[in-house]
Amino acid sequence: MIQSHSYILVEGQQDVLFLGKLLRELGLQDVRDVDAISSLWELFKDQDQLRQHRGLVAAKKLGLQIHQLFSGVCFQNDSHSVVVRKVSGSGTKFLRNLESLEQLLDGGFSSLAAIGLVPDADNDPDSVFQSCKAALKNVGLVEPNEPSQIVDADTRTGIFLLPGGGATGALEDLLLDCAETVYPELLAGATRYVDDVDRTHATFAAEDLLEIGRPQGRAKAIVGCVSCFLKPGSTIQNSVYRDRWVSEHSLPLPRVTELCLFLKQLVGLI
């Protein structure tokens, strides 16, 4: 019987799937059947879509995908259920999501074993951390004193700044760590390609270089090249989910190990 429910907010879909791969390594599985998701998460089920889905199944037609039926991704085993949800931004958006969650959950936050925030550190980890602390405090939760710390309260809380280790950056930097171990030749070629492009060439317009010129532009471009080779024509998140970024070779990496430990302590798997 599932007795422990945890809720984790992240910034993007690839973050959802990367954390999901780690949770699978920790013994939880992503739930493909929306009816198998713990009843506590009923508020995330789209009832209108569910009725349509069941009508299509009864008529033996193609039904809807689970992502069309359930907001977030759920990972479960016999005793623990974890929903990882993207909010496309941290800070204020994390706060608004938590405010809505408390109102919608039967029993509010007391029904949850843990709440975790996993934003990108970007270029100012301290500012991001303080913003996340404020989001937790403003909804009455105990905030940690430092990143990666788990507060052991009635509802555990924790904040992990990607890529970990106190560094600036984002998930892409953690993916580069993984690629260096799992796909070293592919990473080397992708890095050469991105770095060898002459950005001063006359054929480039200013708008062409806008994204690559951003702080995370280079890392995103390199990760994109690696994922495109592995899954041509697909998305980075599809590659994160289906390829070996998370594997026996990358799990021992320091920042991956740090994130795994954070998840284990937050969710209560140790």
Side-chain angles (χ1 to χ4, degrees):
M1 177 180 178
I2 295 176
Q3 298 176 330
S4 178
H5 296 83
S6 301
Y7 186 72
I8 302 175
L9 288 176
V10 299
E11 292 192 37
Q13 190 62 24
Q14 56 261 42
D15 305 60
V16 172
L17 297 176
F18 188 83
L19 263 63
K21 291 292 287 283
L22 296 181
L23 289 169
R24 290 176 68 180
E25 293 291 336
L26 297 176
L28 283 75
Q29 296 298 318
D30 50 323
V31 183
R32 302 300 184 87
D33 180 356
V34 72
D35 291 321
I37 293 172
S38 175
S39 60
L40 181 76
W41 307 119
E42 193 71 24
L43 70 156
F44 293 134
K45 298 177 183 178
D46 187 319
Q47 299 303 323
D48 290 338
Q49 293 276 48
L50 281 169
R51 282 190 287 271
Q52 178 185 349
H53 170 67
R54 287 162 185 155
L56 289 169
V57 170
K60 297 185 178 180
K61 297 179 181 178
L62 181 65
L64 300 174
Q65 298 296 313
I66 191 168
H67 67 83
Q68 296 172 284
L69 305 172
F70 185 81
S71 179
V73 180
C74 187
F75 302 89
Q76 291 182 176
N77 61 16
D78 291 339
S79 57
H80 292 74
S81 179
V82 181
V83 165
V84 185
R85 197 174 187 195
K86 73 177 181 71
V87 295
S88 301
S90 58
T92 302
K93 291 190 176 181
F94 279 1
L95 173 59
R96 290 174 181 168
N97 188 284
L98 291 175
E99 289 173 336
S100 298
L101 178 69
E102 184 180 24
Q103 295 173 6
L104 292 170
L105 277 175
D106 185 16
F109 292 142
S110 63
S111 59
L112 296 179
I115 292 177
L117 306 182
V118 185
D120 293 335
D122 294 326
N123 289 327
D124 191 350
D126 184 63
S127 176
V128 173
F129 180 64
Q130 294 302 325
S131 177
C132 288
K133 283 186 65 174
L136 293 173
K137 182 177 181 180
N138 287 339
V139 294
L141 293 167
V142 182
E143 71 271 23
N145 293 320
E146 57 188 32
S148 303
Q149 175 192 9
I150 304 299
V151 179
D152 190 11
D154 291 338
T155 299
R156 291 185 298 275
T157 58
I159 301 168
F160 189 95
L161 305 181
L162 293 169
T168 59
L171 175 69
E172 286 78 14
D173 296 285
L174 195 53
L175 291 174
L176 292 178
D177 288 354
C178 296
E180 189 171 6
T181 296
V182 181
Y183 302 115
E185 182 65 18
L186 185 51
L187 176 64
T191 302
R192 284 194 301 270
Y193 172 73
V194 171
D195 289 345
D196 286 351
V197 173
D198 181 5
R199 302 184 195 180
T200 66
H201 198 278
T203 54
F204 281 121
E207 58 267 26
D208 295 332
L209 302 172
L210 184 62
E211 295 297 324
I212 191 67
R214 296 190 189 280
Q216 282 299 116
R218 178 177 180 272
K220 289 177 182 292
I222 294 172
V223 168
C225 288
V226 173
S227 68
C228 188
F229 181 91
L230 295 169
K231 290 289 179 289
S234 191
T235 61
I236 292 175
Q237 53 257 39
N238 188 44
S239 177
V240 168
Y241 181 72
R242 298 188 179 279
D243 294 318
R244 295 183 296 112
W245 301 85
V246 174
S247 70
E248 61 180 326
H249 302 293
S250 59
L251 285 171
L253 295 172
R255 295 197 291 201
V256 178
T257 298
E258 181 188 7
L259 179 53
C260 275
L261 179 60
F262 172 84
L263 293 173
K264 287 170 70 174
Q265 293 177 333
L266 179 74
V267 174
L269 295 172
I270 57 175

